[in-house]
Amino acid sequence: MGCCSGRCTLIFICTLQLYTVWAALWVAWNVFIICFYLDVGGLSKDSDLLTFNISAHHSWWSEHGPGCVRREMPQAPGVRTTESHSYITVMGCLMDYQYIEVVHSGTQILVALLGFVYACYVVSAITEEEDSFDFIGGFDPFPLYHVNEKPSHLLLKPMYL
C-alpha cells in the first residue's frame, strides 16, 4: 500500500478537518466574520464585539493591506514603556480592510467545503473498494469476463418433452 493511497488521504483529510464538526464550526465562524465586516444583521465592524470590550486590537489588514503605507506617530518624550501604544496612520490602501477580511473568510469557507466534498468522495471510494473485493476464485455474481470452464457440449441444457 503506497503512501498516497485512499486510506492515507482520508486520514489526512479527517485530521485536517476533524470530520464535519470542525468544518461546520469553521464555516459558521467565517460566515459570522463576513456578516460582521459587512454590517449585516445588526453587527457592526466599528463595535468591540470581537475584542469583548477589553482590548484595543483591530484587524491586521487595516494596517498591512495591499498598498497601505503605515506611519507611526512619535510619542511624547519620557512616556516610552513596553506597554505604550503609539498612534498609527495608514494611507494609500488599494482596498478597505473589511473587504479583504470578507474575501479571506470566503476563501476559507470554500476550502472547508471543498475539503468536506473531497472527504466524502474518498469515503465512498474506500467503501466501494472494500465492497468489490473478489475472493480468489469468485463470489462475484457479475465477473468482468466470463470464461466457460467446460466445453459447450458438456453444459447442461434444458430438456423439452
Side-chain angles (χ1 to χ4, degrees), residues 18-150:
L18 293 175
Y19 265 145
T20 58
V21 174
W22 174 251
L25 290 174
W26 192 243
V27 167
W29 172 253
N30 282 292
V31 167
F32 168 75
I33 293 295
I34 289 171
C35 293
F36 180 78
Y37 281 110
L38 293 180
D39 298 334
V40 175
L43 298 171
S44 173
K45 64 184 167 289
D46 299 323
S47 70
D48 292 328
L49 182 64
L50 291 181
T51 60
F52 301 112
N53 296 327
I54 58 172
S55 174
H57 290 96
H58 54 276
S59 173
W60 183 84
W61 290 109
S62 66
E63 297 176 14
H64 300 93
C68 292
V69 177
R70 183 176 179 258
R71 179 175 291 169
E72 189 172 333
M73 304 303 278
Q75 294 181 344
V79 183
R80 195 124 180 115
T81 65
T82 57
E83 296 179 8
S84 65
H85 297 282
S86 59
Y87 181 72
I88 297 171
T89 60
V90 180
M91 298 177 294
C93 295
L94 298 176
M95 186 180 223
D96 289 340
Y97 74 93
Q98 60 265 24
Y99 300 120
I100 297 172
E101 291 281 357
V102 168
V103 169
H104 186 255
S105 292
T107 304
Q108 293 295 320
I109 290 171
L110 181 66
V111 168
L113 293 178
L114 286 175
F116 177 72
V117 169
Y118 183 68
C120 291
Y121 167 74
V122 170
V123 166
S124 69
I126 287 176
T127 55
E128 284 179 14
E129 181 181 297
E130 289 175 356
D131 290 344
S132 66
F133 181 73
D134 187 18
F135 297 98
I136 302 169
F139 300 120
D140 190 5
F142 304 105
L144 295 175
Y145 59 93
H146 182 70
V147 177
N148 289 333
E149 297 175 6
K150 298 180 183 178

